[in-house]
Amino acid sequence: MSKILAAPRLPLSETAAAVVPGLCLAILIALAAHSLEEIERALTGKAWIEALVIAIVLGAGARSAGLVPARAHRGIDVAAKPVLEVAIVLLGASLDVHAMLASGPVLVAAIAATVALAIGAGVAIGRALGLPAKMAMLIACGNAICGNSAIAAVAPAIDAESDDVAAAIGFTAVLGVVVVLAMPGIAALAGFSGAKAGALAGLTVYAVPQVLAAAAPMGPAAVQMGTLVKLTRVLMLGPVCAVLAVVARRLGWTATTQGRGVPPIAHLVPWFILGFLALAALRALGWVPAHLASSLAAGAGPLTIVAMAGLGLGVDVRSVRAAGPRVTAAVLLSLAVLGGLGMLLLASVTLE
C-alpha cells in the first residue's frame, strides 16, 4: 500500500510537455487530411475519400514507416482517446432520437443477437483452427463487440495471458482500418444506404471512431445510426464480461482468490456513452436550442478528424506478421461471420 501511496505524479508542466509532441502531430495530420479533402472537392466536385479516412491512412502510414518518435506516443493516445470521447459526446446533439428509436426493441434485440451469435461462432472458429481457448475467446469478443477495448476488458475476466492479448490487439488494430476503407463498398453491394448502411457499420466495424469514418461517406443518416448502433453494441460489453467471469471460474481459468474478475464499471460503461445519450436526451426534450445543437455537432467534426489521425498513428501494419497465420485466419473468418450475421439481421429490420 505504501508503494501505491508514494507513487510519483508528474507536474502539470511535465505532463503537458509529454502530450504536446504527439497531439501536435495528430493535429498536423488532421490538417493535411482536411486539405486533401478540399483538393478532391476542387478537382472533382466531390470528396470521394473523406478527411476522416485520409487521416487514419496518413497516420497508419507514418507509424508503419517508422516516422513516429517514441516521445509522441503519449500525445497520440490523448488524440485517439480523450479528444475522440469529447467529439462523441458532442455528436449526441445531432442525434434525432425520435427517428432513431423508431425501430426500438427490434433493433436492440438484433444487436444483442448479433453479438451473442458472433461470439459463439468466433470461439468455434478459433478452436477449430487450434487456438487456445482463451485466445479464441479474446478474438471472438474483440470481433463481436468493439475490438481492442473489448479484448482489454475481457482479458481480466478470463485471466488471459499478456502475449495473447498483445497478439489479438495488434492484428485487430490493423484489420479495423481495412474494414473502414471497405465498408462503403460492402454496404453498396448489400443494397444498403442511409440509416441501414450506418447500422451495418455499427454492427461490424470495431471501434467507435472507425464507425464514424466508415459511415461518413454514406451520409449524415448513416453516421447517426452507425453511432447509435455501435454505442448500443459497446454496452453489451458489461453483460458479456460478467458472464465470462463466471464461466472462467467454473472452467478453472482463474483462481478463486487471484482471478482479476470483471473490470470496473467505468471500463464497461464509458463516460462518453453516458454523455452522448444524455445530450441526445436533452435535445429530444427540447432543452438544447437548435442553433446550439448545430454548433455542438459542428464542433465534433474537427475533433473527430484529429482523433482519426491519433487512431491511425497508433496502428502499425507490421504487427500483422507478428500475429501469426492461425490468429489471422481466426480473425478474418470471425469477421466474415459477423458481417454475414449483420446483413441477415438488417435485411429483416426496417430503419428508413
Side-chain angles (χ1 to χ4, degrees):
M1 178 66 73
S2 60
K3 290 184 178 180
I4 296 176
L5 293 177
R9 298 182 64 182
L10 290 174
L12 184 60
S13 58
E14 292 185 25
T15 302
V19 167
V20 167
L23 187 57
C24 286
L25 179 58
I27 292 172
L28 287 174
I29 288 179
L31 290 172
H34 177 72
S35 298
L36 288 173
E37 181 185 286
E38 290 302 311
I39 291 173
E40 282 185 82
R41 292 185 190 279
L43 294 177
T44 67
K46 178 181 178 181
W48 295 96
I49 303 178
E50 301 280 337
L52 298 174
V53 177
I54 297 173
I56 293 178
V57 173
L58 290 178
R63 179 63 178 268
S64 302
L67 301 177
V68 180
R71 65 191 183 92
H73 290 177
R74 197 165 195 180
I76 290 170
D77 290 340
V78 170
K81 190 170 173 59
V83 171
L84 170 69
E85 291 170 348
V86 172
I88 291 171
V89 172
L90 296 179
L91 280 174
S94 67
L95 187 68
D96 187 342
V97 175
H98 301 296
M100 295 299 104
L101 296 182
S103 300
V106 175
L107 182 59
V108 173
I111 296 170
T114 300
V115 169
L117 291 172
I119 290 176
V123 171
I125 290 170
R127 297 297 284 154
L129 290 170
L131 294 180
K134 292 182 182 180
M135 179 62 144
M137 183 63 73
L138 289 175
I139 291 174
C141 291
N143 268 331
I145 305 174
C146 52
N148 297 348
S149 298
I151 292 169
V154 167
I158 64 175
D159 204 17
E161 298 294 330
S162 58
D163 289 346
D164 289 346
V165 175
I169 285 178
F171 187 74
T172 54
V174 176
L175 185 58
V177 174
V178 176
V179 176
V180 167
L181 298 175
M183 182 52 60
I186 293 172
L189 288 174
F192 296 159
S193 61
K196 189 161 284 192
L200 180 63
L203 280 170
T204 55
V205 177
Y206 289 146
V208 176
Q210 293 170 345
V211 171
L212 298 177
M218 299 182 285
V223 172
Q224 290 186 20
M225 180 58 75
T227 302
L228 182 65
V229 169
K230 178 59 189 175
L231 294 183
T232 304
R233 187 172 151 212
V234 171
L235 289 175
M236 301 296 168
L237 185 57
V240 167
C241 283
V243 170
L244 288 181
V246 174
V247 171
R249 289 191 180 93
R250 292 190 177 182
L251 293 177
W253 287 358
T254 59
T256 304
T257 57
Q258 296 179 356
R260 287 168 285 173
V262 181
I265 188 65
H267 291 177
L268 303 180
V269 186
W271 74 270
F272 63 88
I273 293 182
L274 300 178
F276 173 89
L277 296 175
L279 190 55
L282 290 175
R283 185 200 166 184
L285 292 170
W287 294 355
V288 177
H291 68 278
L292 178 58
S294 298
S295 298
L296 292 174
L303 293 178
T304 305
I305 299 175
V306 172
M308 297 302 130
L311 178 71
L313 287 165
V315 173
D316 190 339
V317 297
R318 293 172 294 182
S319 62
V320 172
R321 289 178 295 179
R326 288 187 300 170
V327 172
T328 300
V331 175
L332 290 174
L333 290 173
S334 298
L335 183 60
V337 170
L338 176 63
L341 289 172
M343 290 181 186
L344 288 174
L345 287 167
L346 287 172
S348 61
V349 175
T350 301
L351 297 179
E352 302 179 89

